[in-house]
Amino acid sequence: MNFEKELKKIVEKYVDVAKKQSKATSVDDLVKDEATIARLNRIYDTKDLVTELHDIYEEDTELKARINKYSLGTVFAEVYGIDNYYIEYYNSGDDYWLDNIIDDLDRDFPLEYAK
């Protein structure tokens, strides 16, 4: 699996869906479409967070193992979803944002180890 290529395809798919859901017919309309702008911001925040967890915090998050078990698309969808707080933790500036994300990853994507 090539993480960057697969993530790029997932992001492009989400952006295409956001564009299709938008009622904007021009760039001027798009700038005024707050719902679409919010979706696009969340998509790119999710991309940034998943990339950072994968590249910088892999040892803490075990993201590669979670992706191997659940798939990158599934992990991306959950992190992007509005029913959780991954993006809010990431953007909060709180000192414990990574701890909160790891707790949520453990809850949403448990890894089982032999004892």
Side-chain angles (χ1 to χ4, degrees):
M1 168 188 85
N2 185 320
F3 175 80
E4 289 82 15
K5 283 183 182 179
E6 189 174 345
L7 183 59
K8 182 179 179 187
K9 285 172 44 177
I10 291 167
V11 169
E12 288 172 354
K13 189 167 95 175
Y14 274 73
V15 169
D16 286 345
V17 169
K19 285 183 195 175
K20 289 175 185 170
Q21 290 175 338
S22 174
K23 294 177 176 66
T25 56
S26 69
V27 173
D28 290 335
D29 290 343
L30 182 61
V31 170
K32 297 173 189 170
D33 186 351
E34 292 179 15
T36 300
I37 297 300
R39 282 187 201 100
L40 292 172
N41 284 338
R42 192 161 184 94
I43 291 166
Y44 286 105
D45 284 348
T46 302
K47 176 187 176 276
D48 292 344
L49 173 57
V50 169
T51 300
E52 193 167 325
L53 295 177
H54 181 270
D55 294 347
I56 300 171
Y57 298 108
E58 166 55 30
E59 189 173 309
D60 298 317
T61 64
E62 300 177 278
L63 190 65
K64 290 177 186 174
R66 295 174 202 280
I67 288 170
N68 287 337
K69 183 173 182 180
Y70 297 98
S71 86
L72 181 55
T74 301
V75 171
F76 188 94
E78 186 66 27
V79 171
Y80 171 79
I82 59 171
D83 294 332
N84 60 58
Y85 298 102
Y86 288 99
I87 299 304
E88 289 73 15
Y89 292 146
Y90 182 59
N91 289 332
S92 72
D94 182 54
D95 291 341
Y96 300 102
W97 71 270
L98 184 58
D99 294 331
N100 292 329
I101 287 175
I102 291 169
D103 289 345
D104 284 3
L105 287 171
D106 288 342
R107 181 196 65 228
D108 295 333
F109 304 104
L111 295 173
E112 298 178 21
Y113 295 101
K115 294 182 181 183

